[in-house]
């Protein structure tokens, strides 16, 4: 198959455009990293996905223009298109994307902080205001009825037999003598 010079020049230009398109695709992955998907594992899979897409694209282009024969000029043209995109347009595109991203972040932050949180606070205070009488009723009901019920279930306090503070301050020998005296007083009282 004989290919004319004009056809080769056209194929070279198309391959350069494919390289520039792959540069745009790589910028999409850079934007994803800027947005927050920037872990090492995610970057690894993004790079593999980019190279798979680039390989399939170039392979299908090779199959289309050279019937499966490997020619070096489409590959060189794709690399040149990729490099030209990154040296010229990429910086402008990435600056615009970064600016738009920062503006959107500020806009959403403003909407969240000023509008959503304000409405949520107003809604929460109105719900508190609506349910305050119900809460007071349940609090009164709980403290008056339920706690009273459970307090009645508890055993009554018993008086301890030896809880006289005057006795506990004395020594052990004095404590036994005080107990005997106390016992003698009880006997005398009951007799």
């Amino acid at each position: 198959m004989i290919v004319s010079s004009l056809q080769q020049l056209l194929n070279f230009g198309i391959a350069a455009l494919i390289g520039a398109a792959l540069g745009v695709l790589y910028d999409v992955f850079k934007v994803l990293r800027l947005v927050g998907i920037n872990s090492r594992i995610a970057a690894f899979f993004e790079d593999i996905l980019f190279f798979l897409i680039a390989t399939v694209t170039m392979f299908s282009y090779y199959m289309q223009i050279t019937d499966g024969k490997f020619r070096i000029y489409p590959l060189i043209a794709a690399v040149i298109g990729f490099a030209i995109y990154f040296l010229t347009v990429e910086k402008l595109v990435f600056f615009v994307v970064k600016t738009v991203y920062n503006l959107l972040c500020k806009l959403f932050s403003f909407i969240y902080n000023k509008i959503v949180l304000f409405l949520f606070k107003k809604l929460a205070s109105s719900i508190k205001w609506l349910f305050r009488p119900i809460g007071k009723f349940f609090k009164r009901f709980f403290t008056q009825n339920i706690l009273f019920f459970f307090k009645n279930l508890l055993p009554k306090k018993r008086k301890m037999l030896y809880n006289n503070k005057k006795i506990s301050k004395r020594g052990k020998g004095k404590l036994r003598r005080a107990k005997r005296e106390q016992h003698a007083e009880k006997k005398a009282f009951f007799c």
Side-chain angles (χ1 to χ4, degrees):
M1 175 172 128
I2 299 173
V3 180
S4 67
S5 298
L6 185 62
Q7 184 66 32
Q8 286 181 356
L9 187 63
L10 182 65
N11 291 341
F12 189 86
I14 292 172
L17 287 176
I18 288 174
L22 290 174
V24 171
L25 179 67
Y26 191 74
D27 270 351
V28 168
F29 287 120
K30 276 175 63 174
V31 168
L32 287 176
R33 290 179 189 163
L34 173 73
V35 169
I37 307 171
N38 57 358
S39 68
R40 289 182 181 183
I41 297 171
F44 174 73
F45 285 113
E46 286 173 358
D47 287 342
I48 287 178
L49 182 63
F50 171 75
F51 284 114
L52 282 174
I53 291 171
T55 303
V56 168
T57 304
M58 287 308 294
F59 178 75
S60 63
Y61 183 68
Y62 267 111
M63 293 301 289
Q64 190 71 24
I65 64 164
T66 62
D67 295 327
K69 295 178 185 171
F70 181 74
R71 305 269 188 241
I72 195 74
Y73 73 91
L75 187 61
I76 292 172
V79 169
I80 290 173
F82 192 83
I84 288 173
Y85 171 79
F86 265 97
L87 294 175
T88 58
V89 182
E90 187 266 338
K91 291 177 180 153
L92 176 68
V93 169
F94 198 69
F95 174 75
V96 169
V97 167
K98 195 172 183 180
T99 306
V100 168
Y101 172 73
N102 289 335
L103 287 174
L104 285 175
C105 284
K106 288 178 183 176
L107 176 70
F108 287 131
S109 176
F110 175 77
I111 289 172
Y112 178 75
N113 289 332
K114 300 294 182 186
I115 297 172
V116 173
L117 287 180
F118 174 76
L119 291 175
F120 183 74
K121 287 177 183 176
K122 289 296 180 184
L123 181 67
S125 65
S126 63
I127 288 174
K128 279 183 182 178
W129 182 78
L130 285 173
F131 287 106
R132 187 173 295 147
I134 297 171
K136 286 182 181 179
F137 170 75
F138 279 115
K139 184 177 179 182
R140 192 176 327 124
F141 176 77
F142 181 75
T143 56
Q144 289 178 354
N145 296 328
I146 296 176
L147 287 179
F148 181 74
F149 173 74
F150 284 112
K151 282 182 182 178
N152 287 336
L153 289 178
L154 292 174
K156 303 287 187 237
K157 286 185 179 178
R158 292 190 221 160
K159 290 186 178 180
M160 294 178 62
L161 184 59
Y162 302 108
N163 62 353
N164 191 354
K165 290 184 182 180
K166 292 179 183 175
I167 297 174
S168 63
K169 289 181 183 177
R170 300 177 184 165
K172 287 186 179 178
K174 294 179 182 176
L175 182 66
R176 289 186 197 137
R177 192 175 336 128
K179 285 181 187 178
R180 275 188 255 137
E181 290 173 2
Q182 201 177 28
H183 187 63
E185 287 175 7
K186 285 182 183 177
K187 280 187 177 177
F189 179 73
F190 288 112
C191 294

